[in-house]
């Protein structure tokens, strides 16, 4: 054979070998990925819709589905740094070999056969989604701490040992609580203090105990659901400490804890609609909840005023302020919360408090509490998270001794979501029904909007003695005397910094205008334009010629002043140059107020009730007196004129007769 022919033959053989290798490799890939997903309930036949919008949840995106509805996939954010995973949901009995369109991008990390026969849950929120969202409570077969479950059905299932736990305590056999240890837990030298008692249980129970439940064929657990409140779960699942895939168990990671809005967190129920093959039904249910929430929010913002509120609780040696999730609730309930107002623009001091809390017992604790408005807020809620059995203000103060003089305490405005305890249903149901939670909060902050409303989750702490509330109530507008309203605009200052100076401002106004301090009432309007327009009706000013040009991101405060005497309070305000005086008082409070500007936004509105005002400004009573006096005087003059006319005619007639 010639060298050239031999060379061609070698190249041909190499090419043939290469093609065979590619064919074998492709065949092996098919063998590796081909799988029938039958760890599920074969009775159900899921059909996934072509589209499933997520309008509120920011940690769920990129939903796609097969044209025949046999599978769907969704991207889920699973940690705070922005890590995403793609999860697929397939019809029970799904065979990947028959669906060339499945996972063509190769990005699917978890595949869930729909619907599952049994679930293992790690958080009460998940139980809410399953039990009250998709109405599948009987699929819950394992829960880390079953005694935390609420509702009569859940509790009966726990008592019947239908739902089993994997925590380790004195009643747990020692063999069930050996290494690998609890998530987030570093065991000490002594594994057990007493036989059967695990010393280091951690927050999530023992993994050996959990694995025993996942292997239990009678429980038929197909899916382990994990909320990403702690990255340790992902760590033990990724490093093989707990190998769920070896047990034919898929892991559904949730990112609901990263949702900053109540409706965003509630929309996760659609994810469970996918898991149980009923996405369209759950989508319709969620739509009704979202509509109810938006309607309640609209009602809340129809209230005239916007009170301030503190959300916070102590845990250990630190006082914490909740999250953006709670802040959104308060903002939607038309309450002012310092961390609910564009918190990405907070001054550095406030941002630090929001992130790290306030260390109790430190020399600057009082300054920090003042900074966040804790001691000047009208309401306080959230304090019973760590001590949910408190019922009276006195019991609350046993745990918060430093709060005895806070405004919400002395004004008897302490509320919390502990209407039911041991356990508390809000942890399961509240995430699904944010509309009911919002209505509870609206009832707290704006009781006049729905006076007959009954709380679902909240209750008021019982008063423990006489109250000395520093905030004066507004004088009724029907009370005789002089009533005046004036609008102030505060620029280059957050509202909380105005709030904490209210006592000084009330005293200053009372002194400058010469009225009693309890006749000065300060409040913040929900919509300042609406308030102004209502006072411009019938006046020469046009509602469109607003005096608020250039006042974006400003704080608006209305001062209501009253005097039992009929005085011209507007003239007193003008002569005292009150806005400039307030500005100077605030700037004297320190560097945080250096750039503060205070303006009077509109002409004060002044009325006189039940009497005559001074000559420079006649009130309603004076006008009525003038009108009545003029009328009576006219009648008297007319009578005198008539009498004179008749008398003259009579005498003329009498003279004519004599003549």
């Amino acid at each position: 054979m010639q060298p050239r022919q031999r060379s061609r033959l070698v190249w041909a053989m190499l090419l043939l070998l290469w093609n065979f290798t590619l064919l074998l490799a492709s065949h092996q890939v098919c063998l590796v990925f081909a799988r029938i997903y039958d760890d599920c309930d074969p009775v159900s036949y899921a059909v996934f819709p072509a589209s499933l919008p997520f309008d509120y949840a920011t940690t769920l995106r990129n939903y796609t589905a097969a044209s025949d509805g046999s599978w769907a996939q969704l991207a889920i954010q699973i940690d705070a740094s922005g890590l995403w995973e793609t999860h697929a949901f397939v019809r029970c009995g799904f065979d990947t070999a028959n669906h060339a369109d499945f996972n063509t991008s190769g990005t699917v990390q978890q595949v869930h056969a729909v619907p599952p026969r049994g679930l293992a849950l790690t958080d009460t929120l998940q139980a809410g989604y399953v039990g009250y969202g998709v109405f599948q409570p009987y699929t819950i077969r394992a829960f880390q701490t079953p005694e935390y479950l609420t509702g009569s059905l859940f509790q009966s299932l726990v008592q019947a040992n239908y739902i089993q736990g994997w925590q380790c305590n004195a009643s747990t056999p020692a063999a069930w609580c050996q290494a690998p240890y609890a998530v987030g837990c570093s065991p000490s030298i002594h594994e057990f203090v007493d036989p059967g008692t695990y010393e280091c249980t951690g927050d999530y129970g023992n993994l050996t105990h959990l694995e025993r439940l996942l292997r239990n064929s009678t429980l038929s657990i197909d899916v382990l659901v994990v909320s990403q409140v702690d990255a340790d779960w992902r760590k033990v699942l990724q490093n093989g400490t707990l190998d769920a895939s070896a047990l034919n168990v898929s892991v559904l990671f949730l990112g609901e804890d990263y949702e900053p809005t109540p409706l965003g967190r509630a929309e996760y129920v659609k994810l469970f609609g996918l898991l149980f093959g009923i996405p369209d039904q759950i989508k319709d249910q969620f739509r009704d909840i979202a509509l109810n929430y938006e309607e309640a929010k609209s009602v809340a913002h129809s209230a005239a005023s916007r009170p301030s509120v503190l959300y916070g609780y102590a845990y250990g040696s630190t006082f914490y302020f909740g999250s953006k999730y709670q802040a959104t609730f308060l903002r939607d309930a038309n309450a002012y919360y310092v961390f609910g107002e564009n918190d990405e623009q907070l001054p550095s001091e406030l941002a630090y408090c929001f992130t790290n809390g306030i260390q109790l017992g430190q020399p600057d604790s009082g300054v920090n509490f003042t900074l966040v408005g804790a001691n000047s807020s009208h309401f306080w809620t959230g304090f019973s998270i760590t001590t949910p059995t408190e019922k009276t203000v006195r019991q609350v103060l046993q745990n918060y001794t430093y709060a005895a003089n806070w405004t919400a305490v002395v004004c008897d405005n302490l509320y919390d979501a502990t209407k039911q305890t041991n356990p508390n249903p809000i942890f399961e149901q509240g995430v699904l029904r944010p509309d009911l939670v919002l209505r509870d909060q609206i009832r707290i902050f704006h009781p006049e909007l729905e006076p007959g409303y009954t709380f679902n989750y909240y209750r008021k702490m019982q008063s423990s003695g006489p109250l000395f509330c520093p905030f004066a109530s507004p004088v009724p507008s029907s009370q005789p005397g002089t009533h005046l309203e004036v609008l102030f605009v505060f620029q280059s200052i957050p509202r909380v910094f105005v709030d904490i100076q209210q006592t000084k401002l009330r005293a200053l106004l009372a002194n400058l205008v010469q009225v009693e301090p309890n006749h000065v009432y300060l409040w913040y309007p929900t919509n300042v334009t609406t308030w102004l327009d209502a006072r411009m009706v019938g006046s020469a000013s046009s509602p469109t010629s607003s005096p608020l040009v250039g006042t974006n991101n400003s704080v608006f405060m209305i001062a209501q002043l009253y005097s039992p005497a009929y005085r011209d309070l507007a003239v007193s305000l003008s002569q005292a140059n009150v806005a400039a005086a307030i500005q100077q008082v605030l700037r004297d409070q320190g560097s945080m107020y250096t750039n503060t500007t205070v303006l009077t936004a509109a002409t004060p509105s002044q009325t006189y009730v039940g009497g005559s005002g001074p000559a420079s400004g006649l009130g309603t009573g004076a006008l009525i007196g003038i009108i009545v006096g003029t009328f009576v005087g006219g009648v008297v003059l007319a009578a005198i004129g008539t009498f004179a006319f008749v008398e003259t005619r009579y005498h003329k007639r009498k003279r004519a007769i004599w003549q």
Side-chain angles (χ1 to χ4, degrees):
M1 182 179 294
Q2 297 296 325
R4 179 176 296 181
Q5 292 176 332
R6 185 182 298 110
S7 176
R8 288 177 178 175
L9 180 61
V10 170
W11 279 109
M13 292 178 64
L14 289 174
L15 182 61
L16 180 62
L17 179 62
W18 174 251
N19 289 334
F20 178 76
T21 303
L22 289 178
L23 179 63
L24 180 61
S26 63
H27 181 64
Q28 287 177 337
V29 168
C30 292
L31 290 177
V32 169
F33 285 97
R35 177 179 171 183
I36 298 176
Y37 289 90
D38 54 4
D39 295 320
C40 46
D41 182 1
V43 176
S44 177
Y45 187 82
V47 177
F48 299 102
S51 66
L52 184 65
F54 290 89
D55 301 317
Y56 299 93
T58 59
T59 56
L60 299 173
R61 69 185 186 190
N62 299 341
Y63 173 86
T64 57
S67 57
D68 64 352
S70 60
W71 61 265
Q73 65 184 45
L74 183 69
I76 306 171
Q77 182 182 337
I78 64 170
D79 76 354
S81 66
L83 179 65
W84 291 77
E85 277 192 1
T86 300
H87 287 233
F89 303 85
V90 299
R91 184 183 299 157
C92 192
F94 182 85
D95 188 350
T96 57
N98 299 329
H99 294 270
D101 59 342
F102 177 72
N103 194 23
T104 54
S105 63
T107 59
V108 173
Q109 282 95 346
Q110 294 284 338
V111 180
H112 311 287
V114 174
R117 295 167 298 177
L119 301 175
L121 307 182
T122 61
D123 191 85
T124 52
L125 297 182
Q126 302 161 9
Y129 290 125
V130 176
Y132 301 101
V134 296
F135 308 107
Q136 298 289 337
Y138 293 102
T139 60
I140 303 175
R141 300 310 312 271
F143 190 83
Q144 61 175 24
T145 312
E147 57 265 29
Y148 288 168
L149 292 172
T150 64
S152 57
L153 177 58
F154 280 153
Q155 291 177 345
S156 64
L157 293 176
V158 171
Q159 292 172 1
N161 205 33
Y162 184 87
I163 299 177
Q164 299 186 28
W166 65 82
Q167 77 280 19
C168 292
N169 51 43
S171 62
T172 309
W176 295 0
C177 292
Q178 297 175 357
Y181 300 99
V183 174
C185 176
S186 299
S188 63
I189 298 175
H190 304 288
E191 287 188 18
F192 302 99
V193 177
D194 296 310
T197 302
Y198 192 53
E199 185 181 28
C200 190
T201 59
D203 291 333
Y204 300 100
N206 179 268
L207 296 181
T208 303
H209 198 176
L210 171 59
E211 186 173 339
R212 183 187 65 84
L213 297 179
L214 298 181
R215 290 183 182 276
N216 190 334
S217 59
T218 61
L219 299 181
S220 300
I221 296 175
D222 304 319
V223 181
L224 169 64
V225 184
V226 176
S227 290
Q228 283 303 300
V229 293
D230 195 309
D232 286 334
W233 267 114
R234 192 169 65 256
K235 184 188 302 181
V236 299
L237 289 165
Q238 288 178 342
N239 65 18
T241 303
L242 178 65
D243 190 355
S245 61
L247 304 172
N248 290 327
V249 174
S250 63
V251 180
L252 178 60
F253 284 113
L254 306 184
E256 89 290 346
D257 197 57
Y258 305 128
E259 290 294 338
T261 66
L263 286 178
R265 196 169 292 191
E267 197 170 22
Y268 258 76
V269 72
K270 292 182 181 178
L271 176 62
F272 285 86
L274 284 174
L275 183 62
F276 283 91
I278 50 174
D280 287 329
Q281 174 186 333
I282 301 305
K283 179 183 68 175
D284 293 341
Q285 293 176 6
F286 174 76
R287 182 191 60 228
D288 294 339
I289 292 173
L291 289 174
N292 291 340
Y293 187 96
E294 296 292 354
E295 180 181 351
K297 177 181 174 181
S298 177
V299 170
H301 283 74
S302 70
S305 63
R306 193 168 181 234
S308 57
V309 60
L310 166 69
Y311 180 96
Y313 60 94
Y315 185 75
S317 60
T318 305
F319 191 96
Y320 295 100
F321 296 95
S323 65
K324 291 183 179 180
Y325 176 75
Q326 286 88 9
T328 303
F329 262 127
L330 298 174
R331 184 172 61 247
D332 290 348
N334 196 21
Y336 172 78
Y337 177 48
V338 61
F339 299 123
E341 308 297 308
N342 299 321
D343 47 11
E344 68 277 1
Q345 300 176 3
L346 284 175
S348 58
E349 300 93 336
L350 288 177
Y352 180 85
C353 291
F354 180 62
T355 304
N356 302 283
I358 293 176
Q359 295 300 312
L360 302 174
Q362 299 297 321
D364 62 346
S365 291
V367 175
N368 283 338
F369 275 126
T370 300
L371 186 68
V372 300
N375 54 359
S376 60
S377 295
H378 294 76
F379 296 89
W380 181 17
T381 184
F383 50 83
S384 291
I385 286 181
T386 52
T387 50
T389 58
E390 296 165 332
K391 294 183 178 180
T392 67
V393 174
R394 181 176 289 111
Q395 289 174 329
V396 173
L397 292 180
Q398 289 176 357
N399 298 300
Y400 297 92
T401 55
Y402 43 85
N405 294 321
W406 288 3
T407 297
V409 174
V410 298
C411 291
D412 194 26
N413 283 328
L414 271 62
Y415 294 81
D416 220 347
T418 54
K419 182 178 180 179
Q420 301 179 53
T421 57
N422 297 325
N424 191 336
I426 195 172
F427 296 118
E428 292 171 10
Q429 301 172 19
V431 67
L432 276 172
R433 296 304 305 270
D435 54 327
L436 299 182
V437 176
L438 180 63
R439 288 188 64 192
D440 273 13
Q441 296 192 1
I442 294 171
R443 176 62 179 84
I444 295 171
F445 308 131
H446 307 286
E448 74 281 0
L449 296 179
E450 200 171 359
Y453 179 80
T454 301
F455 286 124
N456 290 287
Y457 306 111
Y458 279 77
R459 64 185 171 95
K460 183 176 183 178
M461 297 295 110
Q462 300 171 14
S463 177
S464 299
L467 304 173
F468 304 96
C469 184
F471 287 100
S473 299
V475 175
S477 59
S478 59
Q479 187 164 323
T482 307
H483 297 259
L484 180 139
E485 286 185 324
V486 59
L487 175 65
F488 294 106
V489 182
F490 298 81
Q491 296 177 330
S492 303
I493 183 175
R495 173 177 158 175
V496 63
F497 291 172
V498 181
D499 267 353
I500 61 182
Q501 302 298 337
Q502 276 211 28
T503 301
K504 287 187 176 67
L505 297 184
R506 288 178 60 240
L508 175 65
L509 283 168
N511 181 58
L512 292 176
V513 189
Q514 294 299 298
V515 297
E516 294 294 328
N518 62 335
H519 290 164
V520 178
Y521 180 68
L522 306 178
W523 60 283
Y524 302 86
T526 297
N527 189 316
V528 67
T529 303
T530 301
W531 181 85
L532 281 169
D533 288 349
R535 279 146 187 80
M536 289 180 177
V537 174
S539 68
S541 301
S542 170
T544 57
S545 59
S546 174
L548 305 181
V549 177
T551 55
N552 291 334
N553 299 321
S554 299
V555 178
F556 300 97
M557 184 183 75
I558 295 173
Q560 290 182 211
L561 290 81
Y562 167 77
S563 171
Y566 297 101
R567 301 170 41 209
D568 195 333
L569 298 179
V571 170
S572 299
L573 274 176
S574 177
Q575 292 175 346
N577 198 5
V578 172
I582 292 175
Q583 177 176 295
Q584 188 58 50
V585 166
L586 291 178
R587 290 187 176 184
D588 290 343
Q589 302 308 309
S591 59
M592 294 184 297
Y593 297 88
T594 301
N595 299 320
T596 301
T597 301
V598 183
L599 305 171
T600 303
T603 303
S605 172
Q606 182 169 253
T607 57
Y608 299 95
V609 177
S612 300
S616 59
L618 296 177
T620 303
L623 292 175
I624 293 175
I626 292 173
I627 294 172
V628 172
T630 302
F631 175 76
V632 173
V635 171
V636 172
L637 289 175
I640 294 173
T642 302
F643 177 78
F645 173 76
V646 172
E647 182 70 10
T648 302
R649 292 294 302 271
Y650 170 75
H651 284 292
K652 286 183 178 180
R653 181 66 176 168
K654 186 176 181 181
R655 284 195 299 269
I657 292 174
W658 278 105
Q659 291 175 355

